[in-house]
Amino acid sequence: MVSTPIRISYLWRPVLADPGDDLVLETAVNGRADVVVTFNRRHFEPAAAPFGLEILAPADAVRRLENRS
């Protein structure tokens, strides 16, 4: 499975400059994701580091998936 619906159980916003990005980060943390794939790496990387989340550009994520097969 590539994705799983996650129910948000806590709120700790704002962390990122864009409130919409906070929702993405919060869902990733709450869902125990390993990676967030985004074009907005510059904003996400500092905020994601304390949670141990890796931030990948879409092209890097595709390359990683291709290398797994």
Side-chain angles (χ1 to χ4, degrees), residues 1-68:
M1 178 175 269
V2 175
S3 66
T4 303
I6 298 299
R7 182 178 182 167
I8 305 255
S9 61
Y10 60 90
L11 301 173
W12 40 263
R13 286 179 236 129
V15 173
L16 295 157
D18 180 347
D21 290 345
D22 278 329
L23 292 172
V24 173
L25 180 61
E26 186 171 303
T27 302
V29 170
N30 197 29
R32 296 185 177 133
D34 296 318
V35 176
V36 172
V37 179
T38 179
F39 286 107
N40 194 2
R41 291 180 66 185
R42 183 174 58 107
H43 289 146
F44 270 91
E45 284 176 338
F51 302 105
L53 281 169
E54 184 176 8
I55 306 300
L56 292 177
D60 296 331
V62 169
R63 274 192 286 280
R64 182 177 289 184
L65 290 171
E66 289 173 341
N67 290 335
R68 292 173 100 186

